[in-house]
Amino acid sequence: MSNYVILPILIPLLTGIILMFFSRNVTASRIISVVSSLLLVGVSGYLVHLVKVNGILTHEVGEWKPPFGIVLVADMLSALLVLTTSIIGLCCILFSFRSIGIERERFYFYSFVQFMIVGVTGAFLTGDLFNLFVFFEVMLMSSYVLIALGGTKLQLRESLKYILVNVVSSALFVIAVGFLYSVVGTLNIADLSVRVAEADQPGIVTAIAMLLFVVFAVKGALFPLYFWLPGSYKAPPSVVTALFGALLTKVGVYAIFRVFFIIFYHDPSFTHTIIGYVCLFTIVAGCIGAIAYWDVEKIVIYNIVIAVGVITYGVTLTTEAGVSGALYYLIHDMIIKAALFLLAGAMFTITGTHSAKKMGGLIKRHPLLGWMFFIAVISLAGIPPLSGFIGKFLLVQGAAESHSYLFMAILLLSSLVVLYSVIKVFIHAFWREPKLTAQEEKGSPKGLLLPIALLLALSVFLGVGAEMVSPYISDAAKTLMNPSIYIDAVLKE
Amino acid sequence: MEILMSIVSGILFMCATYLILSRSLLRVIIGTVLLSHGAHLMILTMGGLKQGTVPLLGENASSYTDPLPQALILTAIVISFGVTALFLVLAYRSYQELKTDDMNDLKGCEDDE
């Protein structure tokens, strides 16, 4: 029963290992990947149910009691994020069948996707700071390979930068862990929370908290540290960018949530003020980028930056509405960013270009793709029946309750900018006179639309079925806002 | 002793930062290696350099050094070894493909508008 928590890590790990033996047999690789992804979706769905019924599940690896052993913790937030990750993984794998190309498939593509999912689910489920570092590295190393796989000039150049930035931030993470260990003498998150509260050294603990914030801000692409993201995410094929955009930055955001809600809540007037301003600048910087470009992928990439800023601001909101809004927005954003990158990939498959100015009239021959893009656009902007609305609504409510009126204004204005930036793509690429005749099209989107439709259906469900989803989200928010629930569940006091 | 070690790892960080900001790719990689050396030395120092014997129970000593930072470093060393190996091979590949090791020539994006 308690072993259940480890399954979302174990399934993709074993699949990744098995897939290494089938690298030359593409059909077998595809079947194994899909079966395992479906299994992972089922297992994580059941994990969400278990957490809902039984409260926080913990698994002490090797029967060592925390804080001495490594402990895996599935609270509602982790379980929901694992479920979202597994669904996005499944859709991206389905999309890659017809888009990634046989050469990449034969060179362990599916293995690396599985290993990246191991890193992401592991980072969501771990209850130990150094173990979080290790899962970060698992995730990052697979992403290094996925970004370079194929070896085009652009990919090589951008992967060098991507690796350099992440090596530096990983070294900073190690240093921060070392500092924290010397101050409190433990690495278990629940135990850290207890000891940080007891430790009578607020200055040094705040300094370490901000160092960790810098580390996670690099991973999550917050304002002064997002410089690496646009170039790196432009390089790999769309399906890899979809995986990165949906999962990698969000792990950084999750780590900020975990660390600042559970461990470092003792000096909010200093730490949370800085985080708040960093997030506001992030939103503004993302907005500028989203307006500036005509490249479909670049626009979506800057929309990631905006969303990361919006979600991370949730850390500073003190009411349950604000925090659940941020979590709702986090899950919505993971799904919709994956869908948008896949849509950009499908458009690239048809036109052979990423520039919205060079496309035109796609809706004549691809009405389904066009209207799917439209649904994704209005969901991203937060139009009422769809999923983006609820998250933004709760965030605005939370901001009003915590008197963060500046954030409220910037959030609402940024929604307009987001809507403008993507509707610009819709108008230029799907309306106007067609630029390509049926013969000139570079490829057909056949088979690419199913995974996008799955993601969009989920996004619509998150919006329309908000009544069904919100109890789960508010559970997650409650655990975050009361660290004692988490600590009691892990340390069993 | 801790103060001396802190100064040493500070110097390592300083050299690493200087090298990472340079133009040649190999210098950058040497910088990342020094950075991870500095970080590992930092964990060892932060765990405490108190006198004690090696963490082997066979020693039957009254006090041992802290085993946890040593395990952390061992993990961090293999991880940074893996990443450095990948980074070096990638640098070699991009030298073959792009015919340069100057970071200034690796700027920008072809399809930037």
Side-chain angles (χ1 to χ4, degrees):
Chain A
M1 170 63 197
S2 98
N3 285 342
Y4 202 82
V5 180
I6 209 168
L7 282 182
I9 303 173
L10 212 56
I11 292 172
L13 179 64
L14 288 175
T15 316
I17 294 169
I18 292 168
L19 281 171
M20 289 202 284
F21 298 103
F22 290 96
S23 68
R24 301 288 152 199
N25 188 341
V26 173
T27 322
S29 306
R30 289 176 174 183
I31 293 169
I32 295 171
S33 303
V34 168
V35 170
S36 130
S37 303
L38 282 171
L39 190 64
L40 184 62
V41 173
V43 165
S44 357
Y46 191 59
L47 182 67
V48 172
H49 171 72
L50 278 181
V51 175
K52 182 72 188 163
V53 175
N54 301 332
I56 297 176
L57 292 180
T58 61
H59 174 55
E60 290 142 12
V61 180
E63 300 275 313
W64 291 90
K65 294 287 161 219
F68 303 109
I70 287 173
V71 61
L72 298 174
V73 187
D75 64 350
M76 188 45 92
L77 174 60
S78 310
L80 284 174
L81 290 176
V82 166
L83 178 61
T84 318
T85 304
S86 62
I87 293 171
I88 290 168
L90 173 69
C91 292
C92 287
I93 287 171
L94 286 175
F95 191 88
S96 58
F97 288 170
R98 297 193 66 89
S99 71
I100 198 77
I102 191 89
E103 283 307 314
R104 286 193 172 93
E105 282 179 296
R106 284 160 63 97
F107 274 91
Y108 307 97
F109 174 78
Y110 295 114
S111 280
F112 284 113
V113 172
Q114 296 292 339
F115 287 135
M116 203 175 97
I117 292 173
V118 174
V120 174
T121 53
F124 287 147
L125 287 173
T126 187
D128 182 286
L129 209 56
F130 195 77
N131 200 226
L132 179 67
F133 164 74
V134 175
F135 277 119
F136 262 33
E137 289 301 311
V138 171
M139 169 183 101
L140 288 172
M141 261 192 245
S142 326
S143 73
Y144 300 155
V145 178
L146 284 175
I147 204 173
L149 190 68
T152 63
K153 284 186 176 171
L154 181 65
Q155 281 181 307
L156 285 172
R157 212 169 60 187
E158 294 306 325
S159 59
L160 285 176
K161 298 169 196 170
Y162 179 72
I163 293 182
L164 179 61
V165 168
N166 281 301
V167 165
V168 173
S169 81
S170 297
L172 281 179
F173 197 172
V174 172
I175 295 164
V177 167
F179 282 150
L180 201 53
Y181 181 70
S182 79
V183 175
V184 292
T186 182
L187 291 173
N188 181 288
I189 291 178
D191 196 30
L192 269 175
S193 175
V194 175
R195 297 220 197 164
V196 163
E198 286 166 358
D200 196 24
Q201 311 178 2
I204 187 83
V205 172
T206 306
I208 296 168
M210 291 325 283
L211 184 57
L212 278 174
F213 178 65
V214 169
V215 171
F216 297 140
V218 174
K219 315 270 182 199
L222 285 170
F223 163 61
L225 304 164
Y226 72 100
F227 56 88
W228 56 272
L229 182 119
S232 307
Y233 280 22
K234 190 75 187 63
S238 330
V239 60
V240 177
T241 315
L243 278 169
F244 284 15
L247 304 179
L248 295 193
T249 50
K250 305 306 184 298
V251 179
V253 174
Y254 164 81
I256 292 175
F257 269 76
R258 186 59 86 205
V259 163
F260 280 92
F261 272 115
I262 306 286
I263 306 177
F264 302 112
Y265 50 81
H266 56 283
D267 189 10
S269 63
F270 181 79
T271 51
H272 289 47
T273 312
I274 293 182
I275 295 175
Y277 279 109
V278 165
C279 293
L280 293 181
F281 280 118
T282 310
I283 300 174
V284 173
C287 285
I288 294 171
I291 296 176
Y293 286 96
W294 281 96
D295 182 309
V296 184
E297 276 198 323
K298 273 268 165 68
I299 290 171
V300 186
I301 286 169
Y302 278 102
N303 273 304
I304 296 180
V305 178
I306 300 175
V308 165
V310 170
I311 298 163
T312 315
Y313 198 88
V315 174
T316 66
L317 297 175
T318 45
T319 61
E320 201 192 306
V323 177
S324 19
L327 299 183
Y328 211 104
Y329 201 77
L330 175 61
I331 291 168
H332 144 79
D333 192 65
M334 287 168 80
I335 294 168
I336 206 73
K337 287 290 143 54
L340 275 170
F341 277 118
L342 295 184
L343 281 163
M347 285 156 73
F348 180 76
T349 311
I350 296 169
T351 59
T353 173
H354 278 306
S355 168
K357 274 183 175 166
K358 292 178 189 152
M359 301 176 190
L362 285 177
I363 208 151
K364 281 256 169 59
R365 265 189 308 280
H366 306 283
L368 197 56
L369 179 71
W371 294 117
M372 276 183 355
F373 190 85
F374 186 71
I375 293 173
V377 163
I378 57 175
S379 175
L380 181 72
I383 308 280
L386 296 159
S387 62
F389 171 70
I390 321 267
K392 272 186 187 159
F393 175 74
L394 288 171
L395 273 172
V396 168
Q397 191 191 339
E401 285 166 2
S402 345
H403 307 290
S404 317
Y405 299 112
L406 183 62
F407 170 66
M408 214 158 110
I410 290 186
L411 172 65
L412 293 174
L413 285 176
S414 80
S415 303
L416 276 182
V417 174
V418 165
L419 182 63
Y420 166 72
S421 70
V422 271
I423 212 83
K424 176 173 86 175
V425 174
F426 181 72
I427 288 173
H428 275 80
F430 288 98
W431 288 353
R432 301 191 309 166
E433 285 301 303
K435 292 219 168 148
L436 295 170
T437 62
Q439 290 79 34
E440 286 171 343
E441 285 181 1
K442 306 285 188 289
S444 93
K446 194 165 135 293
L448 297 180
L449 297 183
L450 173 71
I452 306 174
L454 277 176
L455 287 172
L456 286 178
L458 190 63
S459 164
V460 172
F461 168 74
L462 270 182
V464 178
E467 288 287 323
M468 285 161 74
V469 185
S470 63
Y472 293 89
I473 303 274
S474 61
D475 260 23
K478 274 196 198 89
T479 319
L480 274 186
M481 299 194 68
N482 304 303
S484 56
I485 302 177
Y486 183 91
I487 296 165
D488 289 347
V490 176
L491 299 179
K492 308 248 165 43
E493 277 164 4
Chain B
M1 193 61 189
E2 275 90 348
I3 292 175
L4 184 66
M5 291 289 265
S6 307
I7 293 170
V8 170
S9 49
I11 292 171
L12 280 172
F13 290 142
M14 187 181 71
C15 300
T17 314
Y18 177 76
L19 284 169
I20 287 173
L21 293 175
S22 61
R23 280 174 62 173
S24 157
L25 186 52
L26 272 181
R27 280 167 176 268
V28 171
I29 297 177
I30 293 171
T32 62
V33 173
L34 287 185
L35 186 65
S36 52
H37 283 333
H40 301 156
L41 208 58
M42 202 70 198
I43 306 184
L44 199 64
T45 316
M46 288 290 119
L49 299 170
K50 296 172 289 288
Q51 296 293 316
T53 184
V54 288
L56 292 172
L57 288 177
E59 297 285 314
N60 288 325
S62 56
S63 74
Y64 294 93
T65 51
D66 190 350
L68 188 72
Q70 304 189 13
L72 299 187
I73 292 170
L74 205 55
T75 315
I77 285 174
V78 290
I79 289 175
S80 64
F81 178 72
V83 174
T84 307
L86 178 74
F87 203 177
L88 279 169
V89 173
L90 210 66
Y92 178 60
R93 275 283 291 158
S94 40
Y95 176 68
Q96 283 181 323
E97 289 279 324
L98 305 165
K99 308 273 185 264
T100 178
D101 76 330
D102 188 337
M103 292 302 273
N104 275 4
D105 293 342
L106 299 176
K107 277 193 296 199
C109 234
E110 286 104 24
D111 43 42
D112 263 352
E113 286 167 61

